Each structure stands twice: as C-alpha cells, then as structure tokens.
C-alpha cells in the first residue's frame, strides 16, 4: 500500500491529498496541518515517489487503485484533493470508484492530454552528480547550472535522499510512462458527486475550452481561479488555496 501520513484525529469525513509529479506527501504538510484543525487529513506518497513502492506501471488506473486501497483500509468515503498528476489520479478514482469519494477537488489540471513534456526534469535529475552532494543546496546548485529555475530546484531536491545519494523517485519508470502521465484515458462514465476544479489565474493548464470535457465527466463541477497563482497554486498562494478548499469542503453538500 502507499506510504501515508495522518494529520489530526477529528470525526467527520477525512480528506486525502494526492500530490503531483516529482512531489511527495511532505510537500503538503503545511496545508494538511492547517486543514487538520477541523478534520482528519491523509497525505500519501504516490507510487514511484517518496517512501512508496516502485513499480514499472504508472498509469492512472493503477494510481486510482492505490488511492482506493488507502481509503478502503482507513475507512471511506473521503473528500479527495489532487494536484496535477495527483488530480488526474483523483479524477480516475472518482470515475472508477465513486463510492470512495464524497467530494472532489482538482488542482490545476483537466482530464485531457497535454503536449508539453516533463522529461527535462528527469534528464536534469539524472545529470546531478550525487557523489559530489553532501547537502541539498549543492544539488540545487547543480540543477540550476542545468537550467532548472530556482523554485523547481528546491521542489525537486525535496525528493533527494542526501545520505543515501539517491532520488526518492523512480526516474526510469516515470520516464517510460511519461506519455501516459501526460495523457488521460477516454472514459464513458461520470462522477455524480460535487467537484471543484481550482486553477491558477496565471496558469494555462485549465482553459475554457476544457470545460465541456470536464462537465461531461463531472456534471456537478464548480470552477474557481486563484488570481495570483500559477500551476503550483498551493505553493504560490497557500492561504488562498487552503481557504478556498476549506470553504468548499465545509459548505458543499454531498
């Protein structure tokens, strides 16, 4: 089963948070702790990330099955929040196992294929000489010299185990599955529960052109933008992200 952390121990519907590509549950620690004042929050490491198991398979049906296993084990249904890759996994979970999801929050991603690649970050991480890294800042410097922007350097190196001189990411599997990660399977079903698609005002990941596709799969969708945020909306404006998610989960009837 996926590695996970729990925050809070309050009765009510728990919240499960699924991170994006190259991330981990620890990226969401601050948001999780803030939300845990009124609810139990579970943050997971997705397969091939963090402390979770490695697998050659990294499709959305697989990832949705992983999330379902956590919910079935801990007791569901849950409110599910997913960002980017985690948002697609959360969508697939809601479509395949609607009994596990009470409310759905999708952070800055649509159920469509994307033309951009994320391979440049795998190439950069592979190029870091870990034998010369004794602290995370040295890996940051190497990534910056390879053209990775500073904010992403810090984000990527959160998945670096300096002591073991290895990445806590299955870079080979992620590279092999990159086309599937960027895509989204064609689905002939819909999730009838409430869904919030929350996007960054400075991001182009979710456009008005995507809305018919989203509504076909999630007919009870609401769309909200965080004006001053990009794709990493929970990091760009964490207070706005937390406040919007909290208000939605507290106010929206299932």
């Amino acid at each position: 089963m996926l590695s996970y952390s729990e925050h809070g121990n309050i009765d009510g519907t728990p919240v499960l948070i699924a991170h994006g590509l190259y991330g981990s549950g620890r990226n969401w620690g601050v948001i999780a702790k803030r939300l845990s004042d009124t609810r139990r929050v579970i943050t997971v490491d997705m397969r091939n990330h963090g402390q979770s198991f490695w697998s050659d398979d990294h499709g959305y049906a697989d990832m949705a099955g992983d999330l379902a296993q956590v919910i079935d084990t801990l007791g569901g249904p849950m409110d599910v929040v997913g960002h980017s890759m985690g948002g697609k996994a959360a969508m697939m979970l809601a479509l395949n196992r609607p009994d596990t999801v009470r409310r759905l929050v999708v952070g800055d991603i649509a159920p469509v294929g994307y033309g951009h690649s994320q391979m440049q970050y795998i190439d950069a991480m592979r190029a870091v000489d870990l034998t010369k890294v004794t602290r995370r800042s040295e890996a940051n410097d190497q990534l910056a010299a390879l053209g990775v922007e500073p904010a992403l350097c810090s984000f990527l190196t959160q998945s670096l185990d300096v002591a073991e001189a290895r990445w806590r990411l299955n870079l080979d599997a992620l590279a092999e599955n990159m086309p599937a990660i960027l895509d989204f399977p064609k689905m002939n079903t819909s999730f009838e529960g409430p869904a919030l698609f929350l996007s960054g005002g400075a991001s182009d990941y979710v456009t008005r052109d995507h809305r018919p596709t989203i509504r076909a799969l999630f007919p009870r969708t609401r769309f909200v933008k965080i004006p001053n945020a990009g794709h990493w909306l929970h990091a760009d404006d964490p207070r706005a992200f937390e406040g919007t998610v909290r208000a939605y989960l507290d106010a929206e009837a299932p």
Side-chain angles (χ1 to χ4, degrees):
M1 192 168 76
L2 297 180
S3 176
Y4 66 90
S5 297
E6 295 185 76
H7 306 264
N9 188 25
I10 297 172
D11 291 339
T13 303
V15 178
L16 182 145
I17 300 177
H19 65 79
L21 184 61
Y22 309 138
S24 68
R26 65 180 294 184
N27 301 147
W28 289 82
V30 173
I31 296 286
K33 287 175 183 176
R34 289 175 180 167
L35 291 174
S36 71
D37 64 342
T38 59
R39 59 182 67 238
R40 179 182 175 206
V41 182
I42 295 97
T43 57
V44 299
D45 289 346
M46 304 295 280
R47 61 170 59 203
N48 294 315
H49 292 73
Q51 302 293 338
S52 283
F53 61 89
W54 285 17
S55 171
D56 291 338
D57 300 314
H58 199 85
Y60 286 111
D62 300 310
M63 287 185 271
D66 296 339
L67 297 178
Q69 184 181 31
V70 173
I71 293 173
D72 289 341
T73 299
L74 298 181
M78 295 186 182
D79 294 336
V80 180
V81 178
H83 172 251
S84 200
M85 179 194 75
K88 284 187 171 182
M91 285 188 270
M92 183 62 72
L93 172 68
L95 293 168
N96 283 348
R97 286 285 310 275
D99 59 300
T100 64
V101 181
R102 191 179 189 198
R103 304 175 183 91
L104 176 68
V105 178
V106 178
D108 209 60
I109 202 74
V112 300
Y114 288 86
H116 61 265
S117 176
Q118 301 293 330
M119 275 299 300
Q120 67 270 30
Y121 303 118
I122 289 181
D123 293 339
M125 284 185 278
R126 282 173 167 167
V128 172
D129 185 350
L130 296 177
T131 66
K132 297 180 179 178
V133 173
T134 59
R135 56 179 64 89
R136 194 164 278 113
S137 61
E138 293 169 347
N140 282 340
D141 292 342
Q142 288 193 47
L143 288 170
L146 292 164
V148 179
E149 58 189 88
L152 280 175
C153 290
S154 297
F155 168 70
L156 294 174
T157 55
Q158 288 185 51
S159 292
L160 177 62
D161 186 333
V162 176
E164 296 292 329
R166 69 180 188 92
W167 294 99
R168 292 194 185 97
L169 298 165
N170 187 349
L171 297 179
D172 291 343
L174 296 176
E176 183 68 24
N177 287 276
M178 189 60 67
I181 294 170
L182 296 175
D183 204 0
F184 191 80
K186 300 297 182 186
M187 303 296 293
N188 295 315
T189 186
S190 62
F191 174 65
E192 300 302 320
L196 173 68
F197 277 71
L198 184 57
S199 57
S203 172
D204 60 359
Y205 273 68
V206 182
T207 69
R208 286 193 172 274
D209 291 342
H210 294 144
R211 291 191 175 189
T213 300
I214 293 170
R215 289 196 184 279
L217 296 174
F218 305 96
R220 293 180 62 191
T221 291
R222 294 176 58 190
F223 295 97
V224 174
K225 283 186 180 292
I226 296 179
N228 298 319
H231 180 61
W232 305 96
L233 63 179
H234 59 290
D236 293 341
D237 196 340
R239 287 294 188 184
F241 181 90
E242 175 209 340
T244 303
V245 170
R246 184 189 296 274
Y248 176 74
L249 295 182
D250 288 346
E252 180 72 29

